[in-house]
Amino acid sequence: MILVPITYRGGVYRHNEIIDLIEDLGGYIIQKHMIAQEVVLQCFVPKDDVELIRAIGKPLAGEVTDSPLVGTEIAIVSMSLEIHHLPHPSCDIAEYVRRLGAKSNMVGMARGVGKRIAGLNDEERDIINEHDIAVYLLGNFETCIEHKMPVLLRGIEVPVVLCGGPDKEVLQRIVEPKVDGYVGNVGRFMHRTKESEELTKLDEIIAEITRVLSKHREELAKDPLSVSPARLMDVIREQVPAILDVTSPTPLTVQMSGLRVKLPYDTYAEVLHKTEIEDGIKIGDIADIEPSRMRDYIIVRVRPFSETNMVI
């Protein structure tokens, strides 16, 4: 069964029927948002049942849209949080990917300024590598990007999409093949992205992120995960009650190959390790449970089939 990411938007009235339908079909609710009289469900559902959900939701004023970024966590990397680098569309991009289902985190570097002194420390590198993809936002100058990128990519293992002031052809020439995607004409400016051409550029960034993530999914599919991260999310919700008391909007953040669990590592790592999925198979048997460099969270990395010889 192939699961695809979608977003359902509809009225609060009878929305529980849609939730029950998705769960009965074997799908998973990743996030649920209640906004006034509207409910937004970001979920994974069987590909063959999307039209069924659309048909049943239509009388309830529900709308189903494809959301390729659902179930991903994206790092938006800015060179610094100082006034010199704040005039970037960083917040706009972070918010735009959230609207399409992704969980985004801003990463402001401690030493990203200056083409001669720019650097990446171990903590920043590890935090970026905990995400599914990183979006680097640089400035307007070609030589600055040329000098910075080899240093700022050192040790980065996740796919990278680069945004900068020079057009796409220039970016490709100066950093090829160090990054996986390029979006040009996105440099520094002193206003929010609200004009039509600027919104079109945001759509271009989303398209490039989606393209790179689709390619990454194809690579993962060659050696499938032992268990779906979305299923693992449901298991933890049911068997680790402490996660229900976490006040973060996303206590369990689904990634393409794992989960970020927002519980203290020292207290709950062993609990997660012993949590049973089915038939005596525990999470620790099919996943690596590691401390996150982001606060005191836990990273659960699901092992591929080639390492466990099982798919649950």
Side-chain angles (χ1 to χ4, degrees), residues 7-19:
T7 295
Y8 172 87
R9 294 178 182 272
V12 174
Y13 175 65
R14 292 172 60 187
H15 77 275
N16 285 332
E17 296 179 17
I18 299 297
I19 293 177

Side-chain angles (χ1 to χ4, degrees), residues 8-80:
Y8 172 87
R9 294 178 182 272
V12 174
Y13 175 65
R14 292 172 60 187
H15 77 275
N16 285 332
E17 296 179 17
I18 299 297
I19 293 177
D20 292 341
L21 173 64
I22 291 171
E23 293 176 346
D24 290 344
L25 292 172
Y28 302 95
I29 307 294
I30 303 301
Q31 288 190 59
K32 174 183 175 181
H33 303 285
M34 303 285 287
I35 308 170
Q37 296 301 309
E38 183 183 52
V39 63
V40 180
L41 304 176
Q42 295 171 346
C43 42
F44 283 101
V45 300
K47 185 176 181 180
D48 296 337
D49 296 320
V50 173
E51 291 304 320
L52 173 62
I53 297 171
R54 184 175 281 117
I56 293 178
K58 189 173 182 179
L60 305 177
E63 179 185 6
V64 175
T65 57
D66 294 332
S67 297
L69 301 186
V70 167
T72 63
E73 190 173 23
I74 299 175
I76 309 298
V77 184
S78 178
M79 293 303 99
S80 76

Side-chain angles (χ1 to χ4, degrees), residues 88-100:
H88 279 287
S90 308
C91 293
D92 294 302
I93 294 174
E95 175 60 26
Y96 215 67
V97 298
R98 289 190 193 110
R99 294 183 184 183
L100 295 180

Side-chain angles (χ1 to χ4, degrees), residues 1-3 28 220-232 235 277-279 281-282 285-287 302-312:
M1 181 172 62
I2 300 175
L3 298 178
Y28 302 95
L220 291 175
K222 295 177 181 178
D223 190 3
L225 299 177
S226 300
V227 65
S228 164
R231 182 179 180 186
L232 209 54
V235 169
I277 304 175
E278 67 173 35
D279 299 331
I281 300 173
K282 300 177 176 61
D285 297 331
I286 52 86
V302 180
R303 301 184 196 124
F305 171 79
S306 61
E307 296 184 15
T308 63
N309 292 319
M310 65 176 76
V311 174
I312 304 173

Side-chain angles (χ1 to χ4, degrees), residues 283-310:
I283 293 179
D285 297 331
I286 52 86
D288 297 317
I289 299 171
E290 305 170 350
S292 170
R293 294 297 293 266
M294 185 184 295
R295 300 188 181 179
D296 190 22
Y297 296 152
I298 302 170
I299 290 290
V300 179
R301 301 186 188 277
V302 180
R303 301 184 196 124
F305 171 79
S306 61
E307 296 184 15
T308 63
N309 292 319
M310 65 176 76

